[in-house]
């Protein structure tokens, strides 16, 4: 069902500092910050030859990333994102297999303007999984 690794997301306290470290120390191409109010995050992407890194900074109150940073004060890996061809078919197949979908169960539009869903970390080795329809 899943295809390519689309990105690995890292929660950060300071998006500018994270961007600078990847741009200036690691020599990576880093995009401008974009607000994603629906997801409670401000996002920067690092474009690598074979995948992307997504930096997430909390945006607004009740940001899920703010809670994550309380538990991980230095930041850390927040989720992995896999590509799927049909997100509704993937969701229905996962639900039938007993996996929990986070939130309403309906896809939201993600950082690339494509539909995304999140799967509960307890069902996937303690790691939050994002599915993105490509
Ligand atoms: Co993501």
């Amino acid at each position: 069902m899943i295809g390519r690794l689309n990105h690995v997301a890292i929660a950060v306290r300071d998006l500018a500092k994270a961007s600078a470290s990847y741009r200036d120390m690691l020599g990576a191409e880093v995009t401008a910050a974009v607000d994603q109010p629906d997801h409670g995050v401000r996002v920067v992407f690092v474009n690598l030859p074979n995948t992307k890194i997504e930096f997430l900074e909390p945006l607004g109150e009740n940001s899920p990333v703010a809670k994550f940073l309380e538990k991980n004060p230095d930041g850390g890996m927040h989720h992995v994102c896999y590509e799927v061809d049909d997100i509704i078919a993937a969701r229905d197949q996962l639900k039938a297999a007993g996996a929990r979908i986070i939130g309403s169960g309906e896809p939201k539009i993600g950082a690339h303007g494509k539909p995304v869903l999140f799967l509960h970390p307890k069902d996937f080795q303690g790691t939050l999984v994002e599915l993105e329809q490509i």
Side-chain angles (χ1 to χ4, degrees):
M1 177 202 297
I2 60 169
R4 291 175 2 130
L5 173 68
N6 186 273
H7 59 269
V8 174
I10 299 175
V12 302
R13 287 194 181 282
D14 186 336
L15 210 46
K17 197 173 162 190
S19 299
S21 68
Y22 267 60
R23 188 181 54 236
D24 301 337
M25 289 201 281
L26 295 175
E29 180 196 323
V30 178
T31 67
V34 176
D35 287 359
Q36 294 275 310
D38 277 3
H39 297 275
V41 290
R42 179 172 288 139
V43 180
V44 160
F45 279 97
V46 179
N47 292 317
L48 303 178
N50 63 338
T51 190
K52 296 184 277 284
I53 303 297
E54 175 184 54
F55 288 134
L56 303 172
E57 185 186 73
L59 177 70
E61 290 169 27
N62 306 317
S63 169
V65 175
K67 291 184 199 98
F68 181 91
L69 287 170
E70 277 173 27
K71 291 183 208 151
N72 304 274
D74 296 327
M77 203 196 80
H78 185 268
H79 64 265
V80 292
C81 177
Y82 302 120
E83 298 177 357
V84 294
D85 291 329
D86 182 336
I87 201 160
I88 298 298
R91 177 199 64 188
D92 292 347
Q93 192 178 326
L94 285 157
K95 277 169 86 171
R100 286 164 282 186
I101 315 294
I102 306 255
S104 69
E106 294 307 315
K108 283 188 180 179
I109 297 302
H112 305 109
K114 309 234 172 83
V116 301
L117 279 175
F118 287 90
L119 309 178
H120 202 292
K122 284 201 190 317
D123 297 327
F124 293 97
Q125 292 67 53
T127 302
L128 180 63
V129 173
E130 178 179 20
L131 298 180
E132 180 173 306
Q133 181 173 295
I134 292 300

